[in-house]
Amino acid sequence: MLNLPQKKELVKRLNQEFSEAAIAILVDYKGLDVEKITRLRFEIRQQGAGMEVVKNTLLRRASEGTDAALLEPYYQGPSAVVISRDDPVAPAKALADFIKDNENLEIKAGVFNGKLVSVDEIQQLAKMPSREELLGKLVSTINQVPTSFVRVLNEVPRSMVNVLDAVREKKEAA
């Protein structure tokens, strides 16, 4: 049980995290044992996000003045909040993967870019490529432009040599 100063500190920290969050996802963890919750926290932490099990009254206070206030209608029953500052896709993927093996975990709703997002939208977000995959594709695309340009530049002298060789063969034949 937290005492009053600890609760105030938790509310202050969560408010700061909510204000900096790229995404906040509210989940119902009812039916999960401590071992499974610990594993879920670990998997979410691996994705650069954090998960906090918090009483709904503290969540209400912590979300005041932030986008997470949109989640207030969902602050019912056992609640945990998953917050990511950088990558909105990674925690959604981690939750979707965890739900495949643990049907007791239920996504309630989320806040993304200042808008309330439904469970379906979070599942769609989980299907998107991760930030690293997108950056890899971008680097690959950027790398293809100079490579193609060099190939085109190499074709000009090669074509010229082929034309000169054809002219030489024609003159030798004549």
Side-chain angles (χ1 to χ4, degrees):
M1 228 26 170
L2 298 175
N3 59 33
L4 187 60
Q6 290 172 323
K7 288 178 183 178
K8 286 182 179 181
E9 181 60 34
L10 176 64
V11 167
K12 181 180 175 186
R13 181 174 54 80
L14 279 176
N15 183 275
Q16 181 68 31
E17 289 181 20
F18 281 142
S19 62
E20 296 173 354
I23 191 167
I25 303 171
L26 196 64
V27 297
D28 181 343
Y29 61 91
K30 181 176 45 192
L32 294 179
D33 58 22
V34 174
E35 180 183 330
K36 289 181 180 177
I37 291 174
T38 303
R39 193 172 87 237
L40 175 60
R41 281 183 177 181
F42 176 76
E43 290 174 13
I44 288 173
R45 204 174 309 120
Q46 293 290 90
Q47 301 302 322
M51 179 176 151
E52 195 80 45
V53 175
V54 186
K55 289 186 175 187
N56 292 323
T57 54
L58 297 178
L59 276 175
R60 269 189 201 88
R61 289 187 181 148
S63 64
E64 289 175 358
T66 68
D67 294 340
L70 297 170
L71 293 171
E72 191 167 340
Y74 299 94
Y75 294 156
Q76 299 168 3
S79 297
V81 65
V82 177
I83 301 172
S84 177
R85 289 183 182 165
D86 302 321
D87 188 1
V89 175
K93 277 185 187 249
L95 288 171
D97 290 342
F98 190 83
I99 288 173
K100 288 177 187 172
D101 299 329
N102 302 280
E103 295 174 3
N104 289 340
L105 183 70
E106 179 186 331
I107 298 173
K108 294 181 180 183
V111 175
F112 177 56
N113 283 341
K115 294 182 181 173
L116 187 66
V117 289
S118 68
V119 175
D120 292 335
E121 291 169 318
I122 292 170
Q123 289 172 345
Q124 290 298 318
L125 193 61
K127 292 176 185 174
M128 291 179 62
S130 69
R131 183 175 188 264
E132 287 75 25
E133 291 174 66
L134 290 174
L135 287 174
K137 288 179 182 180
L138 176 66
V139 168
S140 173
T141 302
I142 290 172
N143 191 27
Q144 286 177 351
V145 172
T147 304
S148 299
F149 184 67
V150 168
R151 271 195 219 119
V152 168
L153 288 178
N154 282 339
E155 280 301 313
V156 172
R158 186 182 332 225
S159 296
M160 183 67 155
V161 168
N162 288 341
V163 167
L164 291 175
D165 191 42
V167 169
R168 180 187 56 80
E169 285 177 5
K170 189 175 183 181
K171 284 186 178 182
E172 285 177 0

